[in-house]
Amino acid sequence: MPDTGLTTRPKSFSRQLAFAYAALFCAVFVSAAFYTSRAVEHHTLFQLRESLTLQARLLQHLLTPALVREGDRSKIHHRTLTLGQETGARITVIDPEGLVLGDSERTWEQLLAIDNHAGRPEVQTALQGQIGTSIRFSNTVKAKMLYVALPLMEGEKVSGVLRIAWPLTDVRRVLDAVEKPVLLSCAAGVFFAVLLSFILGRSLTRDIRRLTEAAEQYSRGDLGREILVQSDNEIKVLAGTMTQMALSLRQRIFESESEKVKFSAVLENMKEGVIAVDCANRIMVMNPGAQQMFGISKESALGRPLIEVIRNKALDDLLAGVVKDQTTAAREVELSQPAAKIFKVSAAGISKCEGGICGILVLFDMTEIRRLENIRKEFVANVSHELKTPLTSIQGFIETLRGGALRDSKKSEEFLAMMQEDAERLSRLIQDLLELSRIESRAVPLRGRMLDLKPEVEKAVAVLAGQAGALGVVIENRVSADCSVWADHDRLRQMLVNLLDNAIKFNRPGGRVSIFDGRELDLVRVSVEDTGVGIPENMIARVFERFFRVDKARSRELGGTGLGLAIVKHLVEAHGGTVSCRSEFEKGSVFSFTLRTSPFEPLA
């Protein structure tokens, strides 16, 4: 700021502070004057209201509820006229329906034409059994009036209302008598205070303006400005302190923002779900991992109790316990909503309640791990069972041959044929297991290209024509001639052969197998329909699992390993498609899979 040319003599900050107090005194004086005026007004109105209420209670003995109940308007009006002249107040008597029975400010003719008073606010209050008051302008006396309405009670019933009104001109005169000297004193005080502040505050104003400008910059986040003042007093010390404070604050904000960014980055990218609650178990923090786990948004969860958002009593009790005991705990919790899941939960109570956070939950979704563990157990059990059956059979034949059957050439040939059949079955099983393992581990490269589907189906049908003819099963190729798909040639043949082989094996003698296609946006759905034994409804969801068989005895009899449909499922998924099954028990099944109609980058 440029120099104003004034003499910058060091001045005591106490004198400048005294000026500030003088200005404050002026403000307080004005406020006090205003408050005094309002207080006098309120007190006068209160006294007048109490006086009118007392008069109404006294007049209640003359204008009795019984008199009002009789409803003799002439008699009641005459009495109100007399009482109005004696008291100087306006007296009105009203029945419960709002009809004016008497009014001291109206003639008998005016009374008969007066409007219903049931809508008056003080009358409404009185009709409810309470004393009603109201201030408003009266068209009858052409003045602002204070109305007090008293209910006329007969037992618990209101039989009428006695209302007394008094003009507020007297109140105004009292206020004028008080306000004039107060306002004159206030004006004189303000004038001298302003004059004194102008004389004493020019140099102080200059430095305060610089402090204000710097403070405004600080409030906008610009903390780099240094405050320079010319005064050699306490303000200079304050300016230096503010400058140092700004530098220190800028450093702390930088450090805080850096930590916040780090914390947010870690929290936002954690796979685990993190939930923080206050001491009332209301959610304060929920990271994206937790939102995804429970299928809820942060906006709908924040501020709500944990039990309302995640309806699981075990989880709520665990967190409430660690918050109460200020300890840590860990356990597995099963949730049924929004889907069946298993979580490994770590909970911790925070004693200091930093930022209002009293407890933290860290959740790790164990559902897939538990599912894979169960699949592994089932897989090991199934493989063991599948391998054990032919090995046991081979071992039995060997023991029989060694026990003497070897000398019987006919029996020996039969046993050796059975052993060869079991060995071939073992070989097929091992080959399918190796194939499935390679597909699942993405060790099978897909050499995709655009293929005409109808010729590929015809080739697969030709491979199984002998097997179908032996069972009298007719295979129909109803695939459109212009249907093209993106697929690996060999793997597409493998998928078709597996599905056709399955449809032929579990068909009826003289049955039918149909292959047809359907368009779904950028996909082609290939379906294999048979007229076979079908699948029970409760088993359809499991048909693509390893070693799953609807009829285990018949499947083994037909030479199946239980892995054909699992291989199809994984090959289709490697092509970016999906598999499905529809079936009606004892009527037949439809197995479908989708392939893309444009090039697709296989999963690595």
Side-chain angles (χ1 to χ4, degrees), residues 22-71:
L24 179 63
F25 168 76
C26 293
V28 171
F29 189 79
V30 173
S31 300
F34 179 79
Y35 174 77
T36 301
S37 176
R38 298 285 78 77
V40 170
E41 180 181 4
H42 292 162
H43 179 73
T44 305
L45 287 175
F46 176 78
Q47 292 293 335
L48 181 58
R49 189 180 294 110
E50 291 296 313
S51 175
L52 292 179
T53 302
L54 180 59
Q55 290 185 47
R57 293 188 183 278
L58 293 174
L59 293 176
Q60 187 179 12
H61 297 287
L62 298 175
L63 295 169
T64 62
L67 180 63
V68 174
R69 177 168 44 80
E70 291 175 0

Side-chain angles (χ1 to χ4, degrees), residues 39-110:
V40 170
E41 180 181 4
H42 292 162
H43 179 73
T44 305
L45 287 175
F46 176 78
Q47 292 293 335
L48 181 58
R49 189 180 294 110
E50 291 296 313
S51 175
L52 292 179
T53 302
L54 180 59
Q55 290 185 47
R57 293 188 183 278
L58 293 174
L59 293 176
Q60 187 179 12
H61 297 287
L62 298 175
L63 295 169
T64 62
L67 180 63
V68 174
R69 177 168 44 80
E70 291 175 0
D72 189 342
R73 297 183 72 181
S74 176
K75 182 178 179 181
I76 294 173
H77 183 59
H78 177 73
R79 186 166 296 183
T80 55
L81 288 173
T82 302
L83 293 174
Q85 293 173 357
E86 293 176 355
T87 60
R90 181 184 177 184
I91 302 172
T92 308
V93 180
I94 306 163
D95 73 357
E97 302 299 326
L99 178 66
V100 178
L101 302 178
D103 193 316
S104 63
E105 298 293 333
R106 298 292 180 103
T107 64
W108 174 254
E109 290 76 11
Q110 291 174 334

Side-chain angles (χ1 to χ4, degrees), residues 91-382:
I91 302 172
T92 308
V93 180
I94 306 163
D95 73 357
E97 302 299 326
L99 178 66
V100 178
L101 302 178
D103 193 316
S104 63
E105 298 293 333
R106 298 292 180 103
T107 64
W108 174 254
E109 290 76 11
Q110 291 174 334
L111 180 68
L112 295 177
I114 198 169
D115 59 339
N116 191 285
H117 277 42
R120 305 295 195 273
E122 70 279 2
V123 175
Q124 291 180 345
T125 304
L127 290 175
Q128 295 176 2
Q130 301 176 0
I131 297 176
T133 62
S134 177
I135 296 176
R136 65 176 181 274
F137 186 82
S138 173
N139 293 321
T140 303
V141 299
K142 305 301 180 182
K144 197 172 184 180
M145 306 285 288
L146 170 63
Y147 295 92
V148 175
L150 187 73
L152 299 175
M153 306 296 297
E154 279 189 317
E156 299 294 329
K157 181 179 178 183
V158 178
S159 62
V161 176
L162 173 60
R163 189 183 70 176
I164 297 183
W166 191 270
L168 296 182
T169 53
D170 294 340
V171 176
R172 186 69 261 169
R173 281 194 295 271
V174 173
L175 290 177
D176 290 342
V178 174
E179 286 179 350
K180 287 181 181 179
V182 170
L183 290 175
L184 288 174
S185 300
C186 178
V190 169
F191 172 76
F192 286 109
V194 170
L195 180 61
L196 185 61
S197 65
F198 178 77
I199 295 172
L200 299 178
R202 296 184 68 180
S203 63
L204 179 63
T205 301
R206 181 179 63 248
D207 293 336
I208 289 179
R209 187 180 297 114
R210 290 179 178 178
L211 290 176
T212 302
E213 291 173 356
E216 289 177 351
Q217 284 188 326
Y218 294 163
S219 68
R220 292 193 295 267
D222 182 6
L223 301 175
R225 173 173 175 172
E226 181 180 0
I227 306 174
L228 300 175
V229 297
Q230 297 180 357
S231 300
D232 188 14
N233 53 26
E234 291 88 344
I235 290 184
K236 187 172 184 179
V237 177
L238 176 61
T241 303
M242 287 182 63
T243 302
Q244 186 61 37
M245 178 194 69
L247 294 175
S248 177
L249 187 59
R250 182 171 61 176
Q251 180 63 27
R252 293 187 180 182
I253 290 175
F254 175 77
E255 294 174 355
S256 177
E257 290 294 332
S258 298
E259 292 299 321
K260 184 178 179 181
V261 169
K262 293 176 185 177
F263 175 76
S264 298
V266 171
L267 193 64
E268 294 292 321
N269 292 281
M270 284 180 66
K271 183 179 180 181
E272 294 79 3
V274 178
I275 300 175
V277 301
D278 60 13
C279 294
N281 262 24
R282 291 188 295 265
I283 296 176
M284 298 189 68
V285 176
M286 175 177 275
N287 75 332
Q291 297 173 44
Q292 185 177 4
M293 285 178 179
F294 300 107
I296 55 178
S297 64
K298 179 172 65 176
E299 291 74 16
S300 64
L302 294 183
R304 295 174 57 194
L306 181 69
I307 191 66
E308 289 185 8
V309 178
I310 305 171
R311 299 184 179 276
N312 185 275
K313 190 174 185 303
L315 198 62
D316 188 65
D317 290 344
L318 174 64
L319 187 55
V322 298
V323 170
K324 179 181 178 182
D325 300 335
Q326 296 301 311
T327 184
T328 60
R331 70 178 63 168
E332 284 194 2
V333 177
E334 293 187 15
L335 275 73
S336 56
Q337 296 293 337
K341 291 186 177 181
I342 302 172
F343 292 104
K344 182 179 180 181
V345 184
S346 297
I350 302 175
S351 58
K352 294 183 180 180
C353 288
E354 297 182 4
I357 294 175
C358 296
I360 296 178
L361 282 177
V362 179
L363 305 101
F364 183 76
D365 193 345
M366 301 288 290
T367 308
E368 185 65 16
I369 293 176
R370 293 290 180 263
R371 187 184 72 83
L372 293 175
E373 287 178 353
N374 292 333
I375 291 175
R376 179 182 58 81
K377 292 176 183 177
E378 292 180 4
F379 179 73
V380 172
N382 287 329

Side-chain angles (χ1 to χ4, degrees), residues 532-602:
V533 295
I535 304 169
E537 185 177 355
N538 62 331
M539 295 184 177
I540 292 177
R542 300 189 60 193
V543 293
F544 292 101
E545 294 180 8
R546 304 173 183 85
F547 298 112
F548 180 79
R549 297 183 177 92
V550 176
D551 186 344
K552 295 183 179 180
R554 182 178 181 186
S555 179
R556 291 194 180 94
E557 179 183 339
L558 295 173
T561 62
L563 297 173
L565 292 179
I567 291 173
V568 171
K569 175 178 180 291
H570 286 86
L571 284 175
V572 171
E573 290 177 349
H575 281 77
T578 59
V579 294
S580 61
C581 172
R582 291 183 292 107
S583 183
E584 190 172 351
F585 191 56
E586 297 295 345
K587 291 187 178 181
S589 306
V590 179
F591 286 86
S592 303
F593 63 91
T594 59
L595 292 174
R596 295 178 180 266
T597 58
S598 58
F600 166 71
E601 185 67 27

Side-chain angles (χ1 to χ4, degrees), residues 504-539:
I504 294 170
K505 285 180 179 177
F506 295 95
N507 214 318
R508 305 175 187 277
R512 177 177 49 81
V513 175
S514 299
I515 309 175
F516 54 90
D517 65 295
R519 291 291 183 127
E520 297 179 2
L521 298 178
D522 61 340
L523 299 174
V524 170
R525 179 171 294 277
V526 183
S527 300
V528 178
E529 182 180 16
D530 64 66
T531 58
V533 295
I535 304 169
E537 185 177 355
N538 62 331
M539 295 184 177

